[in-house]
Amino acid sequence: MSQVEQLKRALLTKRERPSFSSDGAISTGSTLLNLACTDHTDFGFFKGGYYYLVGDSISGKTWLSLSCFAEACRNKAFKDYRLIFDDVEGGALMNTEYYFGKEVARRMEPPRMKGKEPVFSDTVESFYYNITDLLKEGHPFIYVLDSQDALGSVSAAKKFEEHRKASLKGGVVPGSYGDGKAKYHSENIRQVLAGLRRTKSILIIIGQTRDNLGMGFELKTRSGGKALRFYANIEIWTSVGGKIHKTVREKERTIGVRCLAEVKKNRVTGKIGKDRQVDIPIYYDLGIDDIGSMVDYLINEKHWKKGEGDKVYDAHDIMFEGSRNQIIGYIEREDLESKVKQTVAKVWKEIEEACIPNRKRRYE
C-alpha cells in the first residue's frame, strides 16, 4: 500500500474521542499540567496516545514520566497495565519506592530480560523492536523511553567503524551524514501509533534540548527529526525556572527546582497552537509539590490576594489566612486538596474563557 493510500485510509477512519474519565486517562502527577494538557484537573495523558516530553537537564522530565507510573498504580483502570521504563541513559538512580511508592517499584520493568539481567534499548532500531514486540503481545502498557537522545543507531555504528578503519590505514576518513535516527523515526513511529490505539497503551518519549546554533528565533532545539513532534498527541517542553532554597543554620541551601512546563502542541483539546506554561515545584526529597503549585497559581493569578501582613494571603475559598507555607500546611492537615483543585479549575476556566475573542464564529 502506497503512502498516499495509507494517508487516505487514515483520514477516512473514524477515531474515538479521548475519554475524559479515569477509565480512559491518567494524571501527569500535576494538576496544573493536567489542565494545560486537557483542561481537566485529573487527566493529562489518554490511553492510546503518544506524548513527547522535551526538556533541559535536571528540569524534571524523568520525575514527570515516573509520576505517571505512580498515578497509574492509583487508578484501577490501569491495574493490569505493564509499566515499562526503558532507562537508556542509566541516569534514573533515585529510590523508586521512596518517591513513587511500593507498587511502582514492584511493577516497573525493563523492555525485556536476558536471564535475570534487564536489557534496555541501545539503538533506535532496538527501541522499535522492543515496543513492536510488546504491541504484538497485545497486553496494554505505559512505556517511557528515557531518552531518545541516548540511543545510538546501526547507521552511526557503521559510520564509526568506517572512520576507525580509514584512520588506522592513514587514509581519507569518509564524511559523516548523520546518525540516521531522524529517518528511522519517520519510517517507524507512525506504525507504532496504530498499535498504541489498538492496545490502548501509552508511549512517553523523553528528549533533551540543545542550543540552537543555527538561524531562527528559537534559542533551543532538539534532535530526532520532525516525526517525533509531528505524530505526538501532546508535546511538552520543560526548563528550570529557578532553584528552591531554604535557610538552614544561616546558610541558603538548594532543596529543589521549579519546573516550567510548556505545552507547545496539543491535539487533545484542539488548541494546537495555544501554548500554556505552568510552574511546578519539584523537591529533591519530596518530588512534585502539587499542592504548592496550586497555591502559587491562585496567589499569582490574584485569586488569593494579600491579607493583613506583608506575606499573608487570604485563602477565602478554604476560610484560612496565612503565609504560603501556612496555607499549604492547613490544606494538608484538613485534607482540602480536592477543594483547592476545584478552585484552581474554576480560575483556569475563567482565564481561558476571557482569552476567547468576542467574535462571531464563521462556521456553526
Side-chain angles (χ1 to χ4, degrees), residues 134-169:
L134 288 167
L135 290 170
K136 285 181 179 178
E137 291 176 11
H139 197 93
F141 58 80
I142 301 173
Y143 192 119
V144 174
L145 175 66
D146 189 9
S147 67
Q148 84 84 25
D149 298 76
L151 292 172
S153 71
V154 172
S155 174
K158 183 179 179 181
K159 182 60 65 177
F160 174 82
E161 189 62 19
E162 290 175 0
H163 277 237
R164 189 185 69 83
K165 289 181 179 179
S167 177
L168 289 173
K169 292 178 180 180

CSV table of all heavy atoms in Angstrom, one decimal, residues 134-169:
chain,number,residue,atom,x,y,z
A,134,LEU,N,6.2,-5.8,22.2
A,134,LEU,CA,5.2,-5.6,23.2
A,134,LEU,C,3.8,-5.4,22.6
A,134,LEU,O,2.8,-5.9,23.1
A,134,LEU,CB,5.6,-4.3,24.1
A,134,LEU,CG,6.8,-4.5,25.0
A,134,LEU,CD1,7.2,-3.1,25.5
A,134,LEU,CD2,6.4,-5.4,26.2
A,135,LEU,N,3.7,-4.6,21.5
A,135,LEU,CA,2.4,-4.4,20.9
A,135,LEU,C,1.9,-5.7,20.3
A,135,LEU,O,0.6,-5.9,20.3
A,135,LEU,CB,2.6,-3.3,19.8
A,135,LEU,CG,2.8,-1.9,20.3
A,135,LEU,CD1,3.2,-1.0,19.2
A,135,LEU,CD2,1.6,-1.4,21.1
A,136,LYS,N,2.7,-6.5,19.8
A,136,LYS,CA,2.3,-7.8,19.2
A,136,LYS,C,1.7,-8.7,20.3
A,136,LYS,O,0.7,-9.5,20.0
A,136,LYS,CB,3.4,-8.5,18.5
A,136,LYS,CG,3.8,-7.9,17.2
A,136,LYS,CD,4.9,-8.7,16.5
A,136,LYS,CE,5.3,-8.1,15.2
A,136,LYS,NZ,6.4,-8.8,14.5
A,137,GLU,N,2.2,-8.6,21.5
A,137,GLU,CA,1.7,-9.4,22.6
A,137,GLU,C,0.3,-9.0,23.0
A,137,GLU,O,-0.5,-9.8,23.5
A,137,GLU,CB,2.6,-9.2,23.9
A,137,GLU,CG,3.9,-9.9,23.7
A,137,GLU,CD,4.8,-9.6,24.9
A,137,GLU,OE1,4.3,-9.1,26.0
A,137,GLU,OE2,6.0,-9.9,24.9
A,138,GLY,N,-0.1,-7.7,22.7
A,138,GLY,CA,-1.4,-7.2,22.9
A,138,GLY,C,-1.8,-6.8,24.3
A,138,GLY,O,-2.9,-6.4,24.6
A,139,HIS,N,-0.8,-6.9,25.2
A,139,HIS,CA,-1.1,-6.5,26.6
A,139,HIS,C,-0.9,-5.0,26.8
A,139,HIS,O,0.2,-4.6,26.3
A,139,HIS,CB,-0.2,-7.3,27.6
A,139,HIS,CG,-0.7,-7.3,29.0
A,139,HIS,ND1,-1.4,-8.3,29.5
A,139,HIS,CD2,-0.5,-6.4,30.0
A,139,HIS,CE1,-1.7,-8.0,30.8
A,139,HIS,NE2,-1.1,-6.8,31.1
A,140,PRO,N,-1.8,-4.3,27.4
A,140,PRO,CA,-1.6,-2.8,27.5
A,140,PRO,C,-0.5,-2.4,28.4
A,140,PRO,O,-0.2,-3.1,29.3
A,140,PRO,CB,-3.0,-2.3,28.0
A,140,PRO,CG,-3.5,-3.5,28.8
A,140,PRO,CD,-3.1,-4.7,28.0
A,141,PHE,N,0.2,-1.3,28.0
A,141,PHE,CA,1.3,-0.9,28.8
A,141,PHE,C,1.5,0.6,28.8
A,141,PHE,O,0.9,1.3,27.9
A,141,PHE,CB,2.6,-1.5,28.3
A,141,PHE,CG,2.9,-1.3,26.8
A,141,PHE,CD1,3.5,-0.1,26.4
A,141,PHE,CD2,2.6,-2.2,25.9
A,141,PHE,CE1,3.7,0.2,25.1
A,141,PHE,CE2,2.8,-1.9,24.5
A,141,PHE,CZ,3.4,-0.7,24.1
A,142,ILE,N,2.3,1.1,29.7
A,142,ILE,CA,2.8,2.5,29.6
A,142,ILE,C,4.3,2.4,29.4
A,142,ILE,O,5.0,1.8,30.3
A,142,ILE,CB,2.5,3.3,30.9
A,142,ILE,CG1,0.9,3.3,31.1
A,142,ILE,CG2,3.0,4.7,30.8
A,142,ILE,CD1,0.6,4.0,32.5
A,143,TYR,N,4.8,3.0,28.4
A,143,TYR,CA,6.2,2.8,28.0
A,143,TYR,C,6.9,4.2,28.1
A,143,TYR,O,6.5,5.1,27.4
A,143,TYR,CB,6.3,2.2,26.6
A,143,TYR,CG,7.7,1.7,26.2
A,143,TYR,CD1,7.9,0.4,25.9
A,143,TYR,CD2,8.8,2.6,26.1
A,143,TYR,CE1,9.2,0.0,25.4
A,143,TYR,CE2,10.0,2.2,25.7
A,143,TYR,CZ,10.2,0.8,25.4
A,143,TYR,OH,11.5,0.4,25.0
A,144,VAL,N,7.9,4.3,28.9
A,144,VAL,CA,8.7,5.5,29.0
A,144,VAL,C,10.1,5.3,28.4
A,144,VAL,O,10.8,4.4,28.9
A,144,VAL,CB,8.8,6.0,30.4
A,144,VAL,CG1,9.8,7.2,30.5
A,144,VAL,CG2,7.4,6.4,31.0
A,145,LEU,N,10.4,6.0,27.4
A,145,LEU,CA,11.8,6.0,26.8
A,145,LEU,C,12.6,7.1,27.3
A,145,LEU,O,12.3,8.3,27.0
A,145,LEU,CB,11.7,6.0,25.2
A,145,LEU,CG,13.1,6.1,24.5
A,145,LEU,CD1,13.8,4.8,24.7
A,145,LEU,CD2,12.8,6.4,23.0
A,146,ASP,N,13.6,6.8,28.1
A,146,ASP,CA,14.4,7.9,28.7
A,146,ASP,C,15.9,7.7,28.4
A,146,ASP,O,16.6,7.0,29.1
A,146,ASP,CB,14.2,7.8,30.2
A,146,ASP,CG,14.8,9.0,31.0
A,146,ASP,OD1,15.3,10.0,30.3
A,146,ASP,OD2,14.9,9.0,32.2
A,147,SER,N,16.4,8.3,27.4
A,147,SER,CA,15.8,9.2,26.5
A,147,SER,C,16.2,8.8,25.0
A,147,SER,O,17.1,8.1,24.8
A,147,SER,CB,16.2,10.7,26.7
A,147,SER,OG,17.6,10.8,26.4
A,148,GLN,N,15.5,9.4,24.1
A,148,GLN,CA,15.8,9.0,22.7
A,148,GLN,C,17.1,9.6,22.3
A,148,GLN,O,17.8,9.0,21.4
A,148,GLN,CB,14.7,9.5,21.8
A,148,GLN,CG,14.7,11.0,21.3
A,148,GLN,CD,15.6,11.2,20.1
A,148,GLN,OE1,15.8,10.3,19.3
A,148,GLN,NE2,16.1,12.4,19.9
A,149,ASP,N,17.6,10.6,22.9
A,149,ASP,CA,18.9,11.2,22.6
A,149,ASP,C,20.1,10.2,22.9
A,149,ASP,O,21.1,10.3,22.3
A,149,ASP,CB,19.1,12.5,23.3
A,149,ASP,CG,18.1,13.6,22.9
A,149,ASP,OD1,17.0,13.5,23.4
A,149,ASP,OD2,18.5,14.5,22.2
A,150,ALA,N,19.9,9.4,23.9
A,150,ALA,CA,20.9,8.5,24.3
A,150,ALA,C,21.0,7.2,23.4
A,150,ALA,O,21.9,6.4,23.5
A,150,ALA,CB,20.7,8.0,25.8
A,151,LEU,N,20.0,7.1,22.5
A,151,LEU,CA,20.0,5.9,21.6
A,151,LEU,C,21.1,6.1,20.5
A,151,LEU,O,21.2,7.2,20.0
A,151,LEU,CB,18.7,5.8,20.9
A,151,LEU,CG,17.5,5.3,21.8
A,151,LEU,CD1,16.2,5.4,21.0
A,151,LEU,CD2,17.7,3.9,22.4
A,152,GLY,N,21.8,5.1,20.2
A,152,GLY,CA,22.6,5.1,19.0
A,152,GLY,C,21.8,4.6,17.8
A,152,GLY,O,20.6,4.6,17.8
A,153,SER,N,22.6,4.2,16.8
A,153,SER,CA,21.9,3.7,15.6
A,153,SER,C,22.9,2.8,14.9
A,153,SER,O,24.1,2.9,15.0
A,153,SER,CB,21.4,4.8,14.7
A,153,SER,OG,22.5,5.4,14.0
A,154,VAL,N,22.3,1.8,14.1
A,154,VAL,CA,23.2,0.9,13.3
A,154,VAL,C,24.0,1.7,12.3
A,154,VAL,O,25.1,1.5,12.0
A,154,VAL,CB,22.3,-0.1,12.6
A,154,VAL,CG1,23.1,-1.0,11.7
A,154,VAL,CG2,21.7,-1.0,13.7
A,155,SER,N,23.3,2.7,11.7
A,155,SER,CA,24.0,3.6,10.7
A,155,SER,C,25.1,4.3,11.3
A,155,SER,O,26.2,4.4,10.7
A,155,SER,CB,22.9,4.6,10.2
A,155,SER,OG,23.6,5.5,9.3
A,156,ALA,N,25.0,4.9,12.6
A,156,ALA,CA,26.1,5.6,13.2
A,156,ALA,C,27.2,4.6,13.6
A,156,ALA,O,28.4,5.0,13.4
A,156,ALA,CB,25.6,6.3,14.5
A,157,ALA,N,26.9,3.4,14.0
A,157,ALA,CA,27.9,2.4,14.3
A,157,ALA,C,28.7,2.0,13.1
A,157,ALA,O,30.0,1.9,13.2
A,157,ALA,CB,27.3,1.2,15.0
A,158,LYS,N,28.0,1.9,12.0
A,158,LYS,CA,28.7,1.5,10.7
A,158,LYS,C,29.6,2.7,10.3
A,158,LYS,O,30.7,2.4,9.8
A,158,LYS,CB,27.6,1.3,9.7
A,158,LYS,CG,28.2,0.8,8.3
A,158,LYS,CD,27.1,0.5,7.3
A,158,LYS,CE,27.7,0.1,6.0
A,158,LYS,NZ,26.6,-0.2,5.0
A,159,LYS,N,29.1,3.9,10.4
A,159,LYS,CA,30.0,5.0,10.0
A,159,LYS,C,31.2,5.2,10.9
A,159,LYS,O,32.3,5.5,10.4
A,159,LYS,CB,29.1,6.3,10.1
A,159,LYS,CG,29.8,7.6,9.6
A,159,LYS,CD,30.3,7.5,8.2
A,159,LYS,CE,29.2,7.4,7.2
A,159,LYS,NZ,29.7,7.4,5.8
A,160,PHE,N,31.0,4.9,12.2
A,160,PHE,CA,32.2,5.0,13.1
A,160,PHE,C,33.2,3.9,12.7
A,160,PHE,O,34.4,4.2,12.8
A,160,PHE,CB,31.7,4.7,14.6
A,160,PHE,CG,32.8,4.6,15.6
A,160,PHE,CD1,33.4,5.7,16.1
A,160,PHE,CD2,33.3,3.4,15.9
A,160,PHE,CE1,34.4,5.6,17.0
A,160,PHE,CE2,34.3,3.2,16.9
A,160,PHE,CZ,34.9,4.4,17.4
A,161,GLU,N,32.8,2.7,12.4
A,161,GLU,CA,33.7,1.7,12.0
A,161,GLU,C,34.5,2.1,10.7
A,161,GLU,O,35.7,1.8,10.6
A,161,GLU,CB,33.0,0.4,11.8
A,161,GLU,CG,33.9,-0.9,11.6
A,161,GLU,CD,34.8,-1.1,12.8
A,161,GLU,OE1,34.5,-0.6,13.9
A,161,GLU,OE2,35.8,-1.9,12.6
A,162,GLU,N,33.8,2.7,9.8
A,162,GLU,CA,34.4,3.2,8.6
A,162,GLU,C,35.5,4.2,8.9
A,162,GLU,O,36.6,4.2,8.4
A,162,GLU,CB,33.4,3.7,7.6
A,162,GLU,CG,32.5,2.7,7.0
A,162,GLU,CD,31.4,3.3,6.1
A,162,GLU,OE1,31.4,4.6,6.0
A,162,GLU,OE2,30.6,2.6,5.6
A,163,HIS,N,35.2,5.1,9.8
A,163,HIS,CA,36.1,6.1,10.3
A,163,HIS,C,37.4,5.5,10.9
A,163,HIS,O,38.5,5.9,10.7
A,163,HIS,CB,35.5,7.1,11.3
A,163,HIS,CG,34.7,8.2,10.6
A,163,HIS,ND1,34.9,9.5,10.8
A,163,HIS,CD2,33.6,8.1,9.7
A,163,HIS,CE1,34.0,10.2,10.1
A,163,HIS,NE2,33.3,9.4,9.5
A,164,ARG,N,37.1,4.5,11.8
A,164,ARG,CA,38.2,3.8,12.5
A,164,ARG,C,39.1,3.1,11.6
A,164,ARG,O,40.3,3.3,11.7
A,164,ARG,CB,37.6,2.8,13.5
A,164,ARG,CG,38.6,2.3,14.5
A,164,ARG,CD,37.9,1.2,15.4
A,164,ARG,NE,37.6,0.0,14.6
A,164,ARG,CZ,38.5,-1.0,14.3
A,164,ARG,NH1,39.7,-0.9,14.7
A,164,ARG,NH2,38.1,-2.0,13.6
A,165,LYS,N,38.6,2.4,10.7
A,165,LYS,CA,39.4,1.6,9.7
A,165,LYS,C,40.2,2.5,8.8
A,165,LYS,O,41.4,2.3,8.6
A,165,LYS,CB,38.6,0.7,8.9
A,165,LYS,CG,38.0,-0.5,9.7
A,165,LYS,CD,37.2,-1.4,8.8
A,165,LYS,CE,36.6,-2.6,9.6
A,165,LYS,NZ,35.8,-3.5,8.7
A,166,ALA,N,39.6,3.6,8.3
A,166,ALA,CA,40.3,4.5,7.5
A,166,ALA,C,41.4,5.2,8.2
A,166,ALA,O,42.5,5.5,7.7
A,166,ALA,CB,39.3,5.6,6.9
A,167,SER,N,41.1,5.6,9.5
A,167,SER,CA,42.2,6.3,10.3
A,167,SER,C,43.4,5.4,10.6
A,167,SER,O,44.5,5.8,10.5
A,167,SER,CB,41.5,6.7,11.6
A,167,SER,OG,42.5,7.3,12.5
A,168,LEU,N,43.1,4.1,10.9
A,168,LEU,CA,44.2,3.1,11.1
A,168,LEU,C,45.1,2.9,9.9
A,168,LEU,O,46.3,2.7,10.0
A,168,LEU,CB,43.6,1.8,11.6
A,168,LEU,CG,43.0,1.7,13.0
A,168,LEU,CD1,42.3,0.4,13.2
A,168,LEU,CD2,44.0,2.0,14.0
A,169,LYS,N,44.5,3.0,8.7
A,169,LYS,CA,45.2,2.8,7.5
A,169,LYS,C,45.9,4.1,7.0
A,169,LYS,O,46.6,4.2,6.0
A,169,LYS,CB,44.3,2.3,6.4
A,169,LYS,CG,43.8,0.9,6.6
A,169,LYS,CD,42.9,0.5,5.5
A,169,LYS,CE,42.4,-1.0,5.7
A,169,LYS,NZ,41.5,-1.4,4.6
